[in-house]
Amino acid sequence: MSPNAVVAELISRSNRLGGDPRNTNYAGGNTSAKGIGIDPVTGGDVELLWVKGSGGDLGTLTPQGLAVLRLDRVRALVDVYPGVEREDEMVSAFDYCLHGRGGAAPSIDTAMHGLVESPHVDHLHPDAGIAIATAVDGEELTKQIYGHKVVWVPWRRPGFQLGLDIAAIKADNPEAIGCILGGHGITAWGASSDECERNSLWMIQTAAAYIDEHSTRQPFGAELPGYAALPEAERHAKAAAIAPTIRGMASTDRPMVGHYTDSDVVLDFLAHAEHPRLAELGTSCPDHFLRTKVKPLVLDLPATAGTDEMVARLKELHETYREDYRGYYERHATPDSPEIRGADPLIVLVPGVGMFSFGKDKQTARVAGEFYVNAINVMRGAEGLSTYAPIDESEKFRIEYWALEEAKLQRMPKPKPLATRIALVTGAASGIGKAIAKRLAAEGACVVVADLELAKAEGVATEIGSGDVAIGVQADVSDEAAVQAAVDAAVLAFGGLDLVVNNAGLSLSKTLLETTVADWDLQHDVMAKGSFLVSRAAAKVLIEQGMGGDIVYISSKNSLFAGPNNIAYSAVKADQAHQVRLLAAELGQHGIKVNGINPDGVVHGSGIFSSGWGANRAAVYGVEEKDLGAFYAQRTLLKKEVLPEHCAAAVFALVGPDLTQTTGLHIPVDSGVAAAFLR
């Protein structure tokens, strides 16, 4: 079979296995294939190993995600292996086994794939398989379930020695098609790619069927009175109310983005009597606890407790959690251990409400939650058959603070300037708001695109990226309930809020005598009242988080400049401008900066100008509407047209890393209008 055909089969198998969460978790496990390639130097045949590289995901694996190594060199490493105490040195030795440029970086599991005498190998982390692997009598269960076809391997940290152990098991058990790795997962092999996949699936499905048939009726114990799931609307409201507190706790050592889950798996776990004991035992599979920490923080109150009581208790438990984690670190750290990476929880469980998970970005936070759902499924399976018995705490520490894991973290790219920040932008479906939303996302922020029209808001969010980057919400900023709903949506989507841009606006160009009370009220409701409502709802979140934050008002040159035929618009922009000063004075004590932008003549892409304001302004100035942007440019000092992107750049300047000591400021973005200079 040609190298291209071998790789194509491997990618196809990997994508199928990784695309089903019953088989393995996101970025969990690895697959490999062996075949014949061409040595570019000699032109002769060379036996190669293609294996999923470090950090890749099976479900989305491409050929570029494979490490490619010369098999003879990988196997020759056995002769220089210095022993288990120095096995970490073998990872760097893989670099000398690469074929050509080698593709992706080889992972710690490369030895397992290279040393096992089989053309195809799968190593996976299925919930059903790990349930057997973490049962206190997992070895006996493996025999009962599989007979001689699957062999038990006692826990060993992933590495070269584990590869040797599994290779020996394969050689000593010719009838075996795979093994259960104690506390960890499964490994299967086959003479062909199809056979390997069949063996992997048979192991997983056989374990799942055995659990279904033999599990006790209530593996998590009896139901706890008051701990059942709240009705959906009630639990979402409570989740939104306590989320800022929880995010502030999780971000004590470093800012985090959050994810909220109220899946049936989580709610059922928390509704039963054994959840405190099992949660305290922590997760077992290395992929799980590397993303969830060794154990979660669990609120020990019923779902019926009041929000204030929950908040107070969460803060108490957080202090205890931090002390416990520092104790865990100090018990096991050696002089060579990396420094403690933070003592805050990555998983917070609230009975009746759900789970809050955290990470350096939304995807990491979401995946951490998915891994804890995997861990709950593992606990259910193990407890249903036997007793859940994860690997020892000391072994968890050896992996969590592994030098190789630390090296992987150090290789991560430098975060963008607004990484971990969560932004809400109103009126963001067009013009200045859309440009601001796109710029903030480009600089690393998670963005909530709020607009009066939901479809347009969701369209802009889709332009920006996936739901891990941006979401669209409907928001009539003049409606108090709608504003609160938008802020709640931001909190539930990303864990909290850091940055608010009051951009929603409209304008009606009329003379004083033509301006009706309805005209006046509409503009003041949207911009003056709307900005007040958004700022008030957001400030409550910002203050509770205790992480500071930014509120930015998109005001106008007209807040300073007196021009004809826009009495309502100019008056309300002056109102917004003074809100900036008032809120800067009030919120500074909480580390919240409040600043403004004064644009002028932003015609391109503007929702205001396209809805009639442009035509009216053009008529006032005696120019064609299509020439209005150029007209505005010519009356400025710089003679340049102002675009939405210029306003977005000013917002970034205010909320980015450079102007951290600036509050109460208005920045003109008008190409220079002397009459609107700040005095």
Side-chain angles (χ1 to χ4, degrees):
M1 185 179 291
S2 71
N4 289 342
V6 173
V7 169
E9 275 195 347
L10 175 58
I11 294 298
S12 181
R13 176 174 104 234
S14 302
N15 293 164
R16 286 192 298 271
L17 290 171
D20 188 337
R22 292 172 296 183
N23 299 333
T24 200
N25 37 250
Y26 175 81
N30 28 73
T31 52
S32 68
K34 302 177 183 76
I36 301 299
I38 302 297
D39 187 324
V41 176
T42 66
D45 290 346
V46 58
E47 196 171 5
L48 299 177
L49 169 69
W50 291 270
V51 58
K52 191 200 86 169
S54 177
D57 170 54
L58 289 175
T60 56
L61 188 65
T62 65
Q64 291 70 36
L66 296 172
V68 189
L69 304 96
R70 289 186 54 140
L71 190 59
D72 58 345
R73 293 186 178 179
V74 172
R75 291 178 170 168
L77 293 177
V78 173
D79 299 329
V80 296
Y81 175 50
V84 70
E85 296 303 319
R86 293 173 52 197
E87 70 171 343
D88 289 359
E89 299 172 21
M90 302 305 289
V91 174
S92 60
F94 292 142
D95 291 343
Y96 297 96
C97 305
L98 298 176
H99 178 67
R101 296 186 177 181
S107 77
I108 189 65
D109 286 318
T110 298
M112 178 195 304
H113 293 273
L115 300 180
V116 170
E117 288 281 356
S118 183
H120 300 269
V121 179
D122 293 336
H123 169 60
L124 303 170
H125 298 151
D127 295 346
I130 305 175
I132 307 304
T134 56
V136 70
D137 53 352
E139 184 172 5
E140 182 59 33
L141 282 171
T142 299
K143 293 177 183 177
Q144 291 177 15
I145 297 169
Y146 299 111
H148 297 297
K149 292 187 70 174
V150 176
V151 182
W152 173 264
V153 180
W155 161 260
R156 184 184 291 281
R157 188 175 66 165
F160 202 86
Q161 187 60 53
L162 181 60
L164 287 170
D165 292 348
I166 296 176
I169 284 171
K170 166 73 169 63
D172 295 342
N173 297 272
E175 297 180 8
I177 63 165
C179 55
I180 296 287
L181 283 61
H184 186 166
I186 73 167
T187 294
W189 44 78
S192 69
S193 184
D194 287 345
E195 182 182 66
C196 186
E197 184 175 359
R198 284 196 303 271
N199 289 342
S200 293
L201 294 175
W202 180 82
M203 287 180 64
I204 296 166
Q205 293 162 2
T206 300
Y210 187 89
I211 292 169
D212 287 345
E213 182 179 352
H214 295 89
S215 179
T216 59
R217 190 174 64 85
Q218 290 186 316
F220 293 146
E223 293 182 359
L224 284 171
Y227 281 71
L230 296 171
E232 184 177 44
E234 186 178 347
R235 70 173 178 265
H236 287 182
K238 188 161 279 188
I242 64 177
T245 298
I246 295 175
R247 183 180 179 226
M249 288 164 26
S251 301
T252 301
D253 288 327
R254 59 178 62 89
M256 292 283 181
V257 176
H259 176 72
Y260 167 65
T261 305
D262 62 342
S263 68
D264 291 343
V265 172
V266 173
L267 294 171
D268 177 71
F269 175 63
L270 295 173
H272 289 82
E274 296 302 318
H275 82 263
R277 172 181 65 85
L278 294 169
E280 183 66 22
L281 289 173
T283 55
S284 186
C285 176
D287 268 25
H288 293 183
F289 60 76
L290 281 173
R291 291 167 172 83
T292 66
K293 270 198 164 75
V294 288
K295 64 181 181 181
L297 185 155
V298 184
L299 178 62
D300 53 0
L301 291 175
T304 51
T307 299
D308 291 345
E309 185 182 2
M310 284 186 170
V311 165
R313 183 59 178 150
L314 282 164
K315 291 179 179 179
E316 292 174 355
L317 290 170
H318 179 233
E319 289 304 312
T320 301
Y321 186 98
R322 287 176 61 82
E323 291 172 8
D324 287 349
Y325 189 84
R326 284 191 292 265
Y328 155 78
Y329 179 85
E330 291 165 2
R331 282 193 298 277
H332 303 294
T334 67
D336 297 331
S337 296
E339 292 183 4
I340 190 169
R341 297 195 191 103
D344 300 314
L346 295 179
I347 303 291
V348 178
L349 302 174
V350 181
V353 176
M355 171 173 61
F356 300 83
S357 53
F358 295 91
K360 64 182 177 64
D361 51 36
K362 169 67 174 185
Q363 184 196 43
T364 305
R366 175 177 53 79
V367 169
E370 292 171 1
F371 272 88
Y372 200 79
V373 168
N374 291 133
I376 292 173
N377 290 333
V378 167
M379 294 175 196
R380 178 187 294 107
E383 287 284 306
L385 299 179
S386 176
T387 301
Y388 176 63
I391 63 175
D392 291 342
E393 178 186 274
S394 60
E395 287 298 302
K396 293 178 184 179
F397 182 87
R398 289 182 68 213
I399 290 179
E400 185 178 359
Y401 285 92
W402 200 356
L404 296 178
E405 185 65 26
E406 181 69 13
K408 183 189 295 186
L409 293 174
Q410 295 301 323
R411 291 197 300 269
M412 298 292 288
K414 182 180 177 181
K416 293 181 178 180
L418 298 184
T420 75
R421 303 204 73 191
I422 301 158
L424 170 66
V425 184
T426 67
S430 63
I432 293 173
K434 180 177 179 179
I436 291 169
K438 295 179 76 170
R439 178 62 185 270
L440 295 178
E443 299 293 350
C446 299
V447 179
V448 179
V449 178
D451 201 85
L452 191 59
E453 296 187 49
L454 177 59
K456 290 183 178 180
E458 291 177 333
V460 171
T462 300
E463 283 184 46
I464 291 172
S466 73
D468 287 336
V469 177
I471 64 167
V473 299
Q474 191 277 335
D476 177 352
V477 296
S478 68
D479 183 289
E480 182 177 7
V483 167
Q484 188 60 55
V487 171
D488 287 350
V491 166
L492 292 181
F494 299 113
L497 197 56
D498 301 292
L499 198 169
V500 176
V501 182
N502 279 309
N503 171 73
L506 76 160
S507 184
L508 302 173
S509 178
K510 294 183 179 181
T511 67
L512 171 63
L513 298 183
E514 292 172 329
T515 301
T516 67
V517 171
D519 295 334
W520 178 273
D521 287 345
L522 176 61
Q523 293 181 83
H524 278 74
D525 280 350
V526 171
M527 290 178 281
K529 177 184 173 184
S531 295
F532 152 71
L533 290 174
V534 171
S535 295
R536 186 182 64 173
K540 183 178 179 181
V541 175
L542 298 177
I543 292 169
E544 180 58 31
Q545 283 179 162
M547 299 168 63
D550 283 279
I551 300 175
V552 179
Y553 281 65
I554 306 303
S555 183
S556 170
K557 170 265 297 181
N558 286 37
S559 66
L560 297 164
F561 172 80
N565 300 347
N566 57 4
I567 175 64
Y569 178 80
S570 296
V572 78
K573 284 301 179 181
D575 184 313
Q576 285 186 305
H578 199 46
Q579 284 189 38
V580 168
R581 293 184 281 269
L582 294 167
L583 295 187
E586 180 175 341
L587 299 177
Q589 63 181 312
H590 302 290
I592 300 168
K593 301 188 291 131
V594 187
N595 293 290
I597 305 293
N598 286 349
D600 182 49
V602 185
V603 178
H604 181 76
S606 169
I608 289 178
F609 277 89
S610 64
S611 62
W613 169 264
N616 288 331
R617 290 286 89 190
V620 168
Y621 295 118
V623 299
E624 295 290 328
E625 185 177 356
K626 65 181 177 61
D627 299 324
L628 188 59
F631 169 80
Y632 281 138
Q634 288 307 308
R635 72 181 188 181
T636 69
L637 301 175
L638 298 178
K639 310 300 183 190
K640 293 182 178 179
E641 185 174 356
V642 180
L643 301 176
E645 289 73 19
H646 299 136
C647 300
V651 171
F652 173 63
L654 285 170
V655 304
D658 294 332
L659 297 183
T660 58
Q661 312 306 110
T662 299
T663 190
L665 174 69
H666 279 278
I667 296 181
V669 184
D670 57 12
S671 286
V673 178
F677 282 177
L678 294 167
R679 293 175 176 83

